[in-house]
Amino acid sequence: MTTPVLLGDYAAALPEIVQPWAPLLPPVADDGPAPRLVAANDALAGDLGIDPAWLGSAQALAVLGAREVLPGSTPVAQAYAGHQFGGFSPLLGDGRAVVLGEVRDRHGALRDIALKGSGRTAFARGGDGRAVLGPVLREYLFGEAMHALGIPTTRALAAVTTGDRVFRDGTMVPGAVLTRVAASHLRVGTFEVVARSLQPELRATLLPRLLAYAAARHHPGADGALGFLDAVVTAQAELIARWMAVGFVHGVMNTDNTTISGETIDYGPCAWLERYDENTVFSSIDTGGRYRFGHQPAIAVWNLSRLAETVLPLIGSDPQRAIADATAVLDAFGERYHAAWLELMRTKLGLPDAQPQDERLIADLLAAMAGAQADYTTTWRLLADHLRGGTDNVPGVQPDWLARWEARLAGEPSATAAAMDAVNPAYVPRNHLVEGALTAALAGDLGPFERLLAAISDPYAARPGLADLAEPAPSGFTERHVTYCGT
C-alpha cells in the first residue's frame, strides 16, 4: 500500500489568496461511534494514481475524515468572492472546505484533492464548518451520475463519517466529510476577489499571475486575457448545453460556483428535471426563480460577464476597446451554446445529419412534453421504444410529429433506437430516489444508496431488477420537492 504524495501547486503559486489550515475537529469519543469509510471510489483513485487500498487504511480514514494531514502536504482554504443571487459578496472563501493538495493523474493533469465539511477555516464567517451525511452522499451521487453521462464535473473520492454528531435543523445528525476531486477549484469568484476586493497595489501584481496560472492549468492555448476569456466562455457554453440536454437543474449558479475549467461544481440544492417545464425550481433559497431550469444559459452569460469585468485591465490599455472586445466574446456564448445544445438534441433524437427543419422538430417536441407534463428522461427512451414497435404511447407526442420525425431518420429503425438508447439515460438520480436513499443511509441502511449509485454509474443499459429506478416520482412528490444547500 502506497501513501499518496500531495503537491502544493496552488498554495505556492498564489499564497496571497489562501490561508493555511490545520484540523480542528473534536477528538473521537471513546464511548461513541468510530469514524467510518462510508463510500470509496476505487476507479477514481486509480485514475488519480492513488492506491485504492490506501482508501481503506487507518491513515486515510484520519486524513479524509479531517483529523490528520498527510506528511509534507500544505492544506489551504481558498479565498474568493462572488455574486450570490445577483448581489456581490466581497469575501466568501472556503468556510467548510480545504484543498489538501494536488496529484497528477494518469494523463499528467493536476487534480485538486479537497475536503468538504472539514471544520472551521479563516473564511467560516461564524459557521461551524461541518457537513452531515445526507448532503455528502447527495454530492457523491450527483457527481458520479454527471461523470457517467459525460458531463464535466467534480467527483467524490470518498465519504467518511466523523464519529460525532452535528446540530442541524433542531436535531443532532451524523457528521461527515466528502473528499472532492476537481480539475481545480478556480472560479469566477476567485478572479472577483482579486479584482474587486484587494487593495489596488496588490491587485495590479496578483491579477496577471492569477490569469497566467489559470490559463496554464486549464486553457494553455489561450492567447492573452481575451483568449482566456474566450476559452472559458466556450467551456461554459458546452457545459450548460449538456446540463440542459439531460435535464439537470443546478439550483445555485452564483459566480463562486462557476468554474474556470468548465466543470460542474457544488451539488447543494441541485435536482433532476422530471416533467418538462422550463420554469422548474427546486432550491429553497431561489424564491424568485433566478436559477430556474430554462434560465441557466442566460445566467451563465451573466456570470461570465462578471469574469470579463475582472480581466478588462489585462485585455488592453484602451478601456473602450477592451470593453468592445470582451463584449464580442461574451456575445459568442449564445451561438456556441445553441450549436452545442442543438447537436446534443439531434443525437438524442437519432437524427443522422443536420437539417434546417430540425430546430422546429425539437421545439415542437419540447412544447408537447410541456403541455402533457411528460417526464423528460422517460420520453426519449419511449421514442426509441416506439421505433422498435414497442409502444405508440409517448405522452403528449402526436402522430403528426412522429411522422415528421420518422421521415427524418435514416437506416434501420432498431439500429436508430439502439443509438438513441446509447445517449439517453435510463437511470438518473431522480429526486425521490435520492431522498429515499439518503433517508435510509441516515437510518444505517446503505443498500438503497449503493443500488442507486450502481445504476447511475452505468446509466444507459436497462438492466433486470432495476425497473423501479427508471420510473418517475410518485404522484405529488415533485410538486412538494424542495432542495437545500446542505453541503
Side-chain angles (χ1 to χ4, degrees), residues 134-135 138 141-142 268 270-271 429-442 448 452 477 481-484:
R138 170 188 285 273
L141 284 169
F142 272 87
C270 64
R430 292 182 177 273
N431 306 321
H432 70 291
L433 299 174
V434 172
E435 296 307 317
L438 301 187
T439 299
L442 289 174
L452 180 56
F477 177 90
H481 185 54
V482 178
T483 56
Y484 301 90

PDB file of all heavy atoms in Angstrom, residues 134-135 138 141-142 268 270-271 429-442 448 452 477 481-484:
ATOM      1  N   GLY A 134     -26.173  13.147   4.945  1.00  0.00           N
ATOM      2  CA  GLY A 134     -27.095  13.200   3.818  1.00  0.00           C
ATOM      3  C   GLY A 134     -26.587  14.032   2.659  1.00  0.00           C
ATOM      4  O   GLY A 134     -26.484  13.549   1.523  1.00  0.00           O
ATOM      5  N   PRO A 135     -26.250  15.304   2.865  1.00  0.00           N
ATOM      6  CA  PRO A 135     -25.738  16.124   1.774  1.00  0.00           C
ATOM      7  C   PRO A 135     -24.428  15.613   1.175  1.00  0.00           C
ATOM      8  O   PRO A 135     -24.182  15.778  -0.018  1.00  0.00           O
ATOM      9  CB  PRO A 135     -25.553  17.494   2.421  1.00  0.00           C
ATOM     10  CG  PRO A 135     -26.542  17.504   3.546  1.00  0.00           C
ATOM     11  CD  PRO A 135     -26.542  16.102   4.060  1.00  0.00           C
ATOM     12  N   ARG A 138     -25.418  12.954  -1.145  1.00  0.00           N
ATOM     13  CA  ARG A 138     -26.077  13.571  -2.301  1.00  0.00           C
ATOM     14  C   ARG A 138     -25.033  14.013  -3.327  1.00  0.00           C
ATOM     15  O   ARG A 138     -25.146  13.741  -4.517  1.00  0.00           O
ATOM     16  CB  ARG A 138     -26.912  14.767  -1.858  1.00  0.00           C
ATOM     17  CG  ARG A 138     -27.427  15.618  -3.014  1.00  0.00           C
ATOM     18  CD  ARG A 138     -28.071  16.898  -2.514  1.00  0.00           C
ATOM     19  NE  ARG A 138     -29.375  16.624  -1.951  1.00  0.00           N
ATOM     20  CZ  ARG A 138     -30.507  16.580  -2.667  1.00  0.00           C
ATOM     21  NH1 ARG A 138     -30.465  16.785  -3.963  1.00  0.00           N
ATOM     22  NH2 ARG A 138     -31.654  16.330  -2.072  1.00  0.00           N
ATOM     23  N   LEU A 141     -23.512  11.082  -5.158  1.00  0.00           N
ATOM     24  CA  LEU A 141     -24.393  10.531  -6.188  1.00  0.00           C
ATOM     25  C   LEU A 141     -24.426  11.409  -7.429  1.00  0.00           C
ATOM     26  O   LEU A 141     -24.283  10.911  -8.564  1.00  0.00           O
ATOM     27  CB  LEU A 141     -25.814  10.370  -5.630  1.00  0.00           C
ATOM     28  CG  LEU A 141     -26.081   9.201  -4.697  1.00  0.00           C
ATOM     29  CD1 LEU A 141     -27.453   9.359  -4.046  1.00  0.00           C
ATOM     30  CD2 LEU A 141     -26.011   7.872  -5.448  1.00  0.00           C
ATOM     31  N   PHE A 142     -24.623  12.700  -7.239  1.00  0.00           N
ATOM     32  CA  PHE A 142     -24.772  13.580  -8.397  1.00  0.00           C
ATOM     33  C   PHE A 142     -23.473  13.698  -9.191  1.00  0.00           C
ATOM     34  O   PHE A 142     -23.497  13.713 -10.427  1.00  0.00           O
ATOM     35  CB  PHE A 142     -25.275  14.955  -7.958  1.00  0.00           C
ATOM     36  CG  PHE A 142     -26.768  15.045  -7.906  1.00  0.00           C
ATOM     37  CD1 PHE A 142     -27.462  14.671  -6.770  1.00  0.00           C
ATOM     38  CD2 PHE A 142     -27.488  15.497  -8.993  1.00  0.00           C
ATOM     39  CE1 PHE A 142     -28.849  14.746  -6.715  1.00  0.00           C
ATOM     40  CE2 PHE A 142     -28.872  15.576  -8.956  1.00  0.00           C
ATOM     41  CZ  PHE A 142     -29.558  15.201  -7.813  1.00  0.00           C
ATOM     42  N   GLY A 268     -25.222  21.301  -3.895  1.00  0.00           N
ATOM     43  CA  GLY A 268     -26.084  21.532  -2.743  1.00  0.00           C
ATOM     44  C   GLY A 268     -27.563  21.399  -3.051  1.00  0.00           C
ATOM     45  O   GLY A 268     -28.188  20.386  -2.736  1.00  0.00           O
ATOM     46  N   CYS A 270     -29.126  21.096  -5.955  1.00  0.00           N
ATOM     47  CA  CYS A 270     -29.398  20.624  -7.316  1.00  0.00           C
ATOM     48  C   CYS A 270     -30.532  19.606  -7.322  1.00  0.00           C
ATOM     49  O   CYS A 270     -30.925  19.061  -6.292  1.00  0.00           O
ATOM     50  CB  CYS A 270     -28.147  19.999  -7.907  1.00  0.00           C
ATOM     51  SG  CYS A 270     -27.618  18.514  -7.033  1.00  0.00           S
ATOM     52  N   ALA A 271     -31.063  19.352  -8.506  1.00  0.00           N
ATOM     53  CA  ALA A 271     -32.142  18.378  -8.666  1.00  0.00           C
ATOM     54  C   ALA A 271     -32.191  17.952 -10.119  1.00  0.00           C
ATOM     55  O   ALA A 271     -31.460  18.490 -10.964  1.00  0.00           O
ATOM     56  CB  ALA A 271     -33.485  18.965  -8.219  1.00  0.00           C
ATOM     57  N   PRO A 429     -30.272  10.308 -11.261  1.00  0.00           N
ATOM     58  CA  PRO A 429     -30.559  10.429  -9.823  1.00  0.00           C
ATOM     59  C   PRO A 429     -31.878  11.170  -9.579  1.00  0.00           C
ATOM     60  O   PRO A 429     -31.906  12.340  -9.195  1.00  0.00           O
ATOM     61  CB  PRO A 429     -29.358  11.199  -9.276  1.00  0.00           C
ATOM     62  CG  PRO A 429     -28.841  11.966 -10.440  1.00  0.00           C
ATOM     63  CD  PRO A 429     -29.113  11.125 -11.652  1.00  0.00           C
ATOM     64  N   ARG A 430     -32.957  10.472  -9.839  1.00  0.00           N
ATOM     65  CA  ARG A 430     -34.280  11.071  -9.665  1.00  0.00           C
ATOM     66  C   ARG A 430     -34.449  11.523  -8.216  1.00  0.00           C
ATOM     67  O   ARG A 430     -33.982  10.863  -7.286  1.00  0.00           O
ATOM     68  CB  ARG A 430     -35.372  10.080 -10.063  1.00  0.00           C
ATOM     69  CG  ARG A 430     -35.400   9.783 -11.559  1.00  0.00           C
ATOM     70  CD  ARG A 430     -36.528   8.835 -11.904  1.00  0.00           C
ATOM     71  NE  ARG A 430     -36.616   8.590 -13.330  1.00  0.00           N
ATOM     72  CZ  ARG A 430     -37.292   9.331 -14.195  1.00  0.00           C
ATOM     73  NH1 ARG A 430     -37.954  10.404 -13.728  1.00  0.00           N
ATOM     74  NH2 ARG A 430     -37.325   9.050 -15.474  1.00  0.00           N
ATOM     75  N   ASN A 431     -35.156  12.614  -8.066  1.00  0.00           N
ATOM     76  CA  ASN A 431     -35.213  13.269  -6.764  1.00  0.00           C
ATOM     77  C   ASN A 431     -35.772  12.371  -5.674  1.00  0.00           C
ATOM     78  O   ASN A 431     -35.257  12.330  -4.553  1.00  0.00           O
ATOM     79  CB  ASN A 431     -36.045  14.544  -6.890  1.00  0.00           C
ATOM     80  CG  ASN A 431     -35.535  15.451  -8.002  1.00  0.00           C
ATOM     81  OD1 ASN A 431     -34.333  15.574  -8.192  1.00  0.00           O
ATOM     82  ND2 ASN A 431     -36.442  16.047  -8.748  1.00  0.00           N
ATOM     83  N   HIS A 432     -36.820  11.610  -5.987  1.00  0.00           N
ATOM     84  CA  HIS A 432     -37.412  10.761  -4.946  1.00  0.00           C
ATOM     85  C   HIS A 432     -36.490   9.604  -4.591  1.00  0.00           C
ATOM     86  O   HIS A 432     -36.460   9.153  -3.441  1.00  0.00           O
ATOM     87  CB  HIS A 432     -38.790  10.246  -5.385  1.00  0.00           C
ATOM     88  CG  HIS A 432     -38.772   9.253  -6.489  1.00  0.00           C
ATOM     89  ND1 HIS A 432     -38.414   9.573  -7.789  1.00  0.00           N
ATOM     90  CD2 HIS A 432     -39.069   7.913  -6.506  1.00  0.00           C
ATOM     91  CE1 HIS A 432     -38.499   8.500  -8.544  1.00  0.00           C
ATOM     92  NE2 HIS A 432     -38.892   7.482  -7.789  1.00  0.00           N
ATOM     93  N   LEU A 433     -35.716   9.134  -5.574  1.00  0.00           N
ATOM     94  CA  LEU A 433     -34.782   8.038  -5.290  1.00  0.00           C
ATOM     95  C   LEU A 433     -33.627   8.531  -4.417  1.00  0.00           C
ATOM     96  O   LEU A 433     -33.183   7.833  -3.496  1.00  0.00           O
ATOM     97  CB  LEU A 433     -34.247   7.461  -6.594  1.00  0.00           C
ATOM     98  CG  LEU A 433     -35.278   6.856  -7.545  1.00  0.00           C
ATOM     99  CD1 LEU A 433     -34.618   6.450  -8.851  1.00  0.00           C
ATOM    100  CD2 LEU A 433     -35.961   5.649  -6.901  1.00  0.00           C
ATOM    101  N   VAL A 434     -33.144   9.727  -4.718  1.00  0.00           N
ATOM    102  CA  VAL A 434     -32.059  10.301  -3.917  1.00  0.00           C
ATOM    103  C   VAL A 434     -32.517  10.503  -2.482  1.00  0.00           C
ATOM    104  O   VAL A 434     -31.829  10.099  -1.527  1.00  0.00           O
ATOM    105  CB  VAL A 434     -31.584  11.626  -4.539  1.00  0.00           C
ATOM    106  CG1 VAL A 434     -30.601  12.334  -3.605  1.00  0.00           C
ATOM    107  CG2 VAL A 434     -30.933  11.382  -5.896  1.00  0.00           C
ATOM    108  N   GLU A 435     -33.698  11.097  -2.316  1.00  0.00           N
ATOM    109  CA  GLU A 435     -34.188  11.346  -0.959  1.00  0.00           C
ATOM    110  C   GLU A 435     -34.403  10.041  -0.201  1.00  0.00           C
ATOM    111  O   GLU A 435     -34.097   9.942   0.992  1.00  0.00           O
ATOM    112  CB  GLU A 435     -35.475  12.166  -1.005  1.00  0.00           C
ATOM    113  CG  GLU A 435     -35.295  13.561  -1.589  1.00  0.00           C
ATOM    114  CD  GLU A 435     -34.188  14.353  -0.908  1.00  0.00           C
ATOM    115  OE1 GLU A 435     -34.104  14.309   0.329  1.00  0.00           O
ATOM    116  OE2 GLU A 435     -33.403  15.004  -1.626  1.00  0.00           O
ATOM    117  N   GLY A 436     -34.928   9.034  -0.887  1.00  0.00           N
ATOM    118  CA  GLY A 436     -35.128   7.742  -0.238  1.00  0.00           C
ATOM    119  C   GLY A 436     -33.816   7.103   0.174  1.00  0.00           C
ATOM    120  O   GLY A 436     -33.700   6.534   1.271  1.00  0.00           O
ATOM    121  N   ALA A 437     -32.814   7.203  -0.700  1.00  0.00           N
ATOM    122  CA  ALA A 437     -31.507   6.609  -0.393  1.00  0.00           C
ATOM    123  C   ALA A 437     -30.854   7.327   0.784  1.00  0.00           C
ATOM    124  O   ALA A 437     -30.238   6.682   1.654  1.00  0.00           O
ATOM    125  CB  ALA A 437     -30.606   6.683  -1.620  1.00  0.00           C
ATOM    126  N   LEU A 438     -30.987   8.650   0.841  1.00  0.00           N
ATOM    127  CA  LEU A 438     -30.368   9.392   1.939  1.00  0.00           C
ATOM    128  C   LEU A 438     -31.075   9.141   3.258  1.00  0.00           C
ATOM    129  O   LEU A 438     -30.437   9.020   4.311  1.00  0.00           O
ATOM    130  CB  LEU A 438     -30.362  10.890   1.615  1.00  0.00           C
ATOM    131  CG  LEU A 438     -29.634  11.305   0.336  1.00  0.00           C
ATOM    132  CD1 LEU A 438     -29.552  12.822   0.235  1.00  0.00           C
ATOM    133  CD2 LEU A 438     -28.252  10.685   0.256  1.00  0.00           C
ATOM    134  N   THR A 439     -32.391   9.036   3.220  1.00  0.00           N
ATOM    135  CA  THR A 439     -33.139   8.727   4.434  1.00  0.00           C
ATOM    136  C   THR A 439     -32.730   7.370   4.984  1.00  0.00           C
ATOM    137  O   THR A 439     -32.519   7.208   6.199  1.00  0.00           O
ATOM    138  CB  THR A 439     -34.648   8.764   4.153  1.00  0.00           C
ATOM    139  OG1 THR A 439     -35.020  10.078   3.731  1.00  0.00           O
ATOM    140  CG2 THR A 439     -35.446   8.390   5.392  1.00  0.00           C
ATOM    141  N   ALA A 440     -32.597   6.395   4.088  1.00  0.00           N
ATOM    142  CA  ALA A 440     -32.178   5.059   4.526  1.00  0.00           C
ATOM    143  C   ALA A 440     -30.760   5.083   5.088  1.00  0.00           C
ATOM    144  O   ALA A 440     -30.469   4.432   6.102  1.00  0.00           O
ATOM    145  CB  ALA A 440     -32.280   4.079   3.355  1.00  0.00           C
ATOM    146  N   ALA A 441     -29.866   5.835   4.444  1.00  0.00           N
ATOM    147  CA  ALA A 441     -28.485   5.899   4.906  1.00  0.00           C
ATOM    148  C   ALA A 441     -28.399   6.493   6.302  1.00  0.00           C
ATOM    149  O   ALA A 441     -27.624   6.020   7.152  1.00  0.00           O
ATOM    150  CB  ALA A 441     -27.643   6.724   3.932  1.00  0.00           C
ATOM    151  N   LEU A 442     -29.195   7.508   6.572  1.00  0.00           N
ATOM    152  CA  LEU A 442     -29.200   8.111   7.910  1.00  0.00           C
ATOM    153  C   LEU A 442     -29.717   7.137   8.961  1.00  0.00           C
ATOM    154  O   LEU A 442     -29.372   7.250  10.143  1.00  0.00           O
ATOM    155  CB  LEU A 442     -30.047   9.385   7.908  1.00  0.00           C
ATOM    156  CG  LEU A 442     -29.443  10.578   7.160  1.00  0.00           C
ATOM    157  CD1 LEU A 442     -30.424  11.730   7.095  1.00  0.00           C
ATOM    158  CD2 LEU A 442     -28.140  11.025   7.820  1.00  0.00           C
ATOM    159  N   PRO A 448     -29.951   1.142  -0.373  1.00  0.00           N
ATOM    160  CA  PRO A 448     -30.544   1.963  -1.440  1.00  0.00           C
ATOM    161  C   PRO A 448     -29.546   2.923  -2.083  1.00  0.00           C
ATOM    162  O   PRO A 448     -29.590   3.139  -3.298  1.00  0.00           O
ATOM    163  CB  PRO A 448     -31.668   2.710  -0.716  1.00  0.00           C
ATOM    164  CG  PRO A 448     -32.043   1.814   0.424  1.00  0.00           C
ATOM    165  CD  PRO A 448     -30.745   1.222   0.877  1.00  0.00           C
ATOM    166  N   LEU A 452     -28.613   2.633  -6.055  1.00  0.00           N
ATOM    167  CA  LEU A 452     -28.794   3.774  -6.947  1.00  0.00           C
ATOM    168  C   LEU A 452     -27.470   4.192  -7.565  1.00  0.00           C
ATOM    169  O   LEU A 452     -27.404   4.500  -8.766  1.00  0.00           O
ATOM    170  CB  LEU A 452     -29.421   4.932  -6.176  1.00  0.00           C
ATOM    171  CG  LEU A 452     -29.685   6.225  -6.959  1.00  0.00           C
ATOM    172  CD1 LEU A 452     -30.569   5.963  -8.177  1.00  0.00           C
ATOM    173  CD2 LEU A 452     -30.321   7.277  -6.050  1.00  0.00           C
ATOM    174  N   PHE A 477     -45.073  13.992  -5.529  1.00  0.00           N
ATOM    175  CA  PHE A 477     -43.748  14.176  -4.930  1.00  0.00           C
ATOM    176  C   PHE A 477     -43.046  15.403  -5.507  1.00  0.00           C
ATOM    177  O   PHE A 477     -42.507  16.235  -4.767  1.00  0.00           O
ATOM    178  CB  PHE A 477     -42.876  12.938  -5.145  1.00  0.00           C
ATOM    179  CG  PHE A 477     -41.474  13.094  -4.601  1.00  0.00           C
ATOM    180  CD1 PHE A 477     -41.178  12.740  -3.303  1.00  0.00           C
ATOM    181  CD2 PHE A 477     -40.457  13.638  -5.392  1.00  0.00           C
ATOM    182  CE1 PHE A 477     -39.892  12.917  -2.792  1.00  0.00           C
ATOM    183  CE2 PHE A 477     -39.173  13.818  -4.893  1.00  0.00           C
ATOM    184  CZ  PHE A 477     -38.896  13.450  -3.597  1.00  0.00           C
ATOM    185  N   HIS A 481     -41.327  18.740  -3.732  1.00  0.00           N
ATOM    186  CA  HIS A 481     -39.897  18.541  -3.516  1.00  0.00           C
ATOM    187  C   HIS A 481     -39.153  19.880  -3.419  1.00  0.00           C
ATOM    188  O   HIS A 481     -39.299  20.756  -4.274  1.00  0.00           O
ATOM    189  CB  HIS A 481     -39.310  17.710  -4.652  1.00  0.00           C
ATOM    190  CG  HIS A 481     -37.863  17.344  -4.447  1.00  0.00           C
ATOM    191  ND1 HIS A 481     -37.414  16.705  -3.314  1.00  0.00           N
ATOM    192  CD2 HIS A 481     -36.775  17.542  -5.232  1.00  0.00           C
ATOM    193  CE1 HIS A 481     -36.115  16.514  -3.414  1.00  0.00           C
ATOM    194  NE2 HIS A 481     -35.705  17.017  -4.561  1.00  0.00           N
ATOM    195  N   VAL A 482     -38.363  20.012  -2.367  1.00  0.00           N
ATOM    196  CA  VAL A 482     -37.538  21.199  -2.137  1.00  0.00           C
ATOM    197  C   VAL A 482     -36.127  20.729  -1.804  1.00  0.00           C
ATOM    198  O   VAL A 482     -35.937  19.761  -1.060  1.00  0.00           O
ATOM    199  CB  VAL A 482     -38.105  22.060  -0.970  1.00  0.00           C
ATOM    200  CG1 VAL A 482     -37.205  23.261  -0.725  1.00  0.00           C
ATOM    201  CG2 VAL A 482     -39.525  22.495  -1.261  1.00  0.00           C
ATOM    202  N   THR A 483     -35.132  21.438  -2.342  1.00  0.00           N
ATOM    203  CA  THR A 483     -33.744  21.090  -2.049  1.00  0.00           C
ATOM    204  C   THR A 483     -33.090  22.222  -1.249  1.00  0.00           C
ATOM    205  O   THR A 483     -33.533  23.376  -1.290  1.00  0.00           O
ATOM    206  CB  THR A 483     -32.952  20.863  -3.353  1.00  0.00           C
ATOM    207  OG1 THR A 483     -33.062  22.038  -4.180  1.00  0.00           O
ATOM    208  CG2 THR A 483     -33.493  19.670  -4.100  1.00  0.00           C
ATOM    209  N   TYR A 484     -31.996  21.864  -0.559  1.00  0.00           N
ATOM    210  CA  TYR A 484     -31.337  22.799   0.350  1.00  0.00           C
ATOM    211  C   TYR A 484     -29.836  22.776   0.126  1.00  0.00           C
ATOM    212  O   TYR A 484     -29.282  21.808  -0.380  1.00  0.00           O
ATOM    213  CB  TYR A 484     -31.645  22.428   1.809  1.00  0.00           C
ATOM    214  CG  TYR A 484     -33.130  22.431   2.113  1.00  0.00           C
ATOM    215  CD1 TYR A 484     -33.895  21.283   1.949  1.00  0.00           C
ATOM    216  CD2 TYR A 484     -33.760  23.594   2.543  1.00  0.00           C
ATOM    217  CE1 TYR A 484     -35.264  21.281   2.221  1.00  0.00           C
ATOM    218  CE2 TYR A 484     -35.113  23.615   2.811  1.00  0.00           C
ATOM    219  CZ  TYR A 484     -35.859  22.449   2.646  1.00  0.00           C
ATOM    220  OH  TYR A 484     -37.208  22.474   2.897  1.00  0.00           O
TER     221      TYR A 484
END
